[in-house]
Amino acid sequence: MTESQYAQVAQDSADVVIIGAGPAGLVLGNLLQRAGIDCVVLERAASAHIRHRARAGYLAAHTVRVLERHGLDEGIRLRGQEHSVCEFRTGAGRFRLDYRHLGRGETHTVHPQHELVSDLLACFVAAGGRVRFGTEAVAVRDADSPAPSVTVREGDGRPARWRARYVAACDGRHGVGRRSLPPGAVRRHRRDHGVTWLGLLAEAPPSLDAVGYAVHPHGFAGHMARSAEITRYYLQCARGTLAEEWSDERIWDELALRMRASEYGPLVRGRVVQRAVVDLESDVLEPLRYGSLFLVGDAAGLISPSAAKGANLAVLEAEILARALTDALTRHDLEPLARYSERCLEHIWRAQEFSHWMIRLLHGTRDPGKSSHFQERLRRSRMASLRDSRTHQDWFAENYVGV
Ligand code: APR
């Protein structure tokens, strides 16, 4: 549609238009709402979809503090499970790290992300927050001006337009926020880690009382509790693998083999209810701002799932932006907004570095079975250092739980 055509469509406005109702968008919306800032969340999916979409689930101590600080932690207090143990299984044996007693002594809280999103949505609406489901943002216009707008396609297909003072793209790595950036506005730093995982959700209780990381000649396998009934597993697989090539039986047999179930105890099997192949890659945009448009969460940068950082970075960035927008809109102090990108990138790169280290700790080579001997020996040495050095364990704990 042309500018003049959009001039005819339904108009609405908010001081801050937030695109996306994931962890980033809903934390930002709640914090702005509490600060009395006029904002709206535009979400293309239906409410039921985002409230049942199984995603991450390991909340860092900082994330819990942010939610506690703003009274958004009721669900976590009632249902969150504290977690603090990793178990590493390799050909040289197994060892456990209880990071409650390492580093800063911080622990994770296991709280399935769809429950966190449901909690955040309920808080936002209860506080009078405006959210429009089934509303897909099509483009961010005039982002380099003090009067940006977001053109949308509403549930019935009708075009509409939201005028704003600021726009927060919390719409993920494929969202319209990134797509609306003009060429050359930001630099994209990208890395393909050369590793592919078959991500699984099983209707089965956890088989370990720890996050399990297994390294085997066949490749990596991972075990992460999601709830008392659901467990997340990962199997490293060759690039180009099709999820449907893996039957439930083949999945459980391979998990048992790689996690050395014959030595350390059987896995509790169940129906595999979700399987998806994911190539581990990361990217970071710099800067995280273009005029009145700000990038938050996965829209700002994608991090591999190897260290469960994605949702935690999203919450951290949302709090930094909420404070900066509040300063700008209530006290006309533009300095925090000017520093938003620099402040977030410092945390993003620290998390990227640790996530990359984890990938190299758990995967000797690009494709399981193809051994690059030198890389494999480096990997074993990293694992031995983590097993034997308290200093290394403190560094691991600080970065594993920290954001
Ligand atoms: N218009 C409106 N909504 C959109 C659009 C669009 N054009 N594009 C995407 N969305 C919505 C998606 O439907 C989704 O609900 O934006 C939301 C983005 O949410 P997430 O993908 O969860 O991203 P974010 O909030 O940044 O959270 C990042 O959470 O999902 C976990 O670990 C994962 O790292 C990830 C982290």
Side-chain angles (χ1 to χ4, degrees), residues 356-376:
H356 179 67
W357 178 86
M358 277 291 277
I359 289 171
R360 294 277 64 87
L361 175 77
L362 301 171
H363 307 80
T365 63
R366 285 177 169 269
D367 270 336
K370 261 196 237 151
S371 97
S372 139
H373 198 65
F374 191 84
Q375 264 193 327
E376 176 53 21

Side-chain angles (χ1 to χ4, degrees), residues 86-96 213-217 258-260 263-264 379-380 383-384 387-388:
C86 289
E87 180 170 307
F88 295 88
R89 297 180 176 183
T90 73
R94 72 171 165 177
F95 64 95
R96 291 164 69 92
Y213 295 111
V215 181
H216 184 277
R258 296 188 191 183
M259 297 196 73
R260 297 178 173 80
E263 278 178 81
Y264 302 128
R379 190 201 60 68
R380 286 186 205 173
M383 190 65 84
R387 181 192 61 216
D388 302 335

Side-chain angles (χ1 to χ4, degrees), residues 18-27 41-46 49-50 53-57 113 117 132-139 150-153 169-177 179 296-305 308-315 317:
I18 299 167
I19 306 172
L26 288 172
V27 167
V41 176
L42 307 179
E43 169 56 53
R44 70 180 171 193
H49 176 75
I50 68 159
R53 181 176 53 188
R55 304 286 288 268
Q113 182 168 312
V117 165
R132 296 286 186 277
F133 288 104
T135 298
E136 176 161 20
V138 173
V150 180
T151 53
V152 303
R153 188 179 303 112
C170 304
D171 51 354
R173 65 177 304 211
H174 300 299
V176 77
R179 292 203 306 272
V296 196
D298 274 10
L302 178 76
I303 192 163
S304 84
K309 295 282 182 195
N312 292 300
L313 278 175
V315 171
E317 294 156 19

Side-chain angles (χ1 to χ4, degrees), residues 172-190:
R173 65 177 304 211
H174 300 299
V176 77
R178 285 197 180 198
R179 292 203 306 272
S180 299
L181 295 167
V186 299
R187 289 182 308 285
R188 181 183 181 220
H189 306 280
R190 184 174 177 276

Side-chain angles (χ1 to χ4, degrees), residues 139-153:
V140 178
R141 293 169 179 257
D142 306 316
D144 56 349
S145 82
S149 65
V150 180
T151 53
V152 303
R153 188 179 303 112

